[in-house]
Amino acid sequence: MMEPRPMTTPDTLYRRHRFPAEIISHCVWLYFRFCLSYRDIEELMLVRGVFVTYEAIRQWCQKFGQTFANDLRRRRPRPGDKWHLDEGFVKITNHGQRPWY
């Protein structure tokens, strides 16, 4: 019989790290959400007064990245039943017309 896996809470997920969970999760979120480089994130955090190296950010992204990527993918908007058309092309007597809305 298999034992249930323990639930990973933020406390256990970020245990034994120098920085708080908010900083780690923000750096990983920046990397995966905006496709920034590790050095760009290092500069952004330095402007905010947090001195963190790009190597630490790289390790965080490798360790926690899959969890964040799955969450972002899950939250992505999916096609629904409403579609909004910005412009169209109507062919009337072999002359193309673009009605502007």
Side-chain angles (χ1 to χ4, degrees):
M1 181 178 234
M2 294 181 68
E3 295 181 19
R5 289 177 40 184
M7 188 168 182
T8 57
T9 61
D11 296 333
T12 59
L13 192 63
Y14 299 108
R15 187 177 43 195
R16 296 184 184 157
H17 286 278
R18 178 179 168 203
F19 291 95
E22 293 83 15
I23 292 176
I24 295 172
S25 62
H26 186 67
C27 290
V28 175
W29 178 77
L30 283 172
Y31 179 77
F32 284 102
R33 178 61 181 90
F34 299 109
C35 297
L36 298 172
S37 70
Y38 300 128
R39 293 181 190 259
D40 289 340
I41 298 171
E42 178 185 18
E43 289 179 10
L44 285 171
M45 297 308 287
L46 188 60
V47 168
R48 293 177 181 231
V50 179
F51 181 74
V52 60
T53 63
Y54 72 93
E55 183 62 28
I57 297 169
R58 184 188 67 80
Q59 290 174 355
W60 295 339
C61 289
Q62 285 182 344
K63 184 173 183 180
F64 306 114
Q66 191 62 49
T67 306
F68 277 83
N70 291 342
D71 288 343
L72 287 174
R73 202 173 296 118
R74 199 173 309 124
R75 293 180 189 169
R76 185 183 308 162
R78 294 194 168 58
D81 57 352
K82 286 188 177 181
W83 289 81
H84 300 281
L85 181 66
D86 289 338
E87 64 180 83
F89 190 82
V90 180
K91 192 170 187 179
I92 302 173
T93 63
N94 294 334
H95 296 293
Q97 300 290 326
R98 280 192 184 204
W100 297 99
Y101 295 72

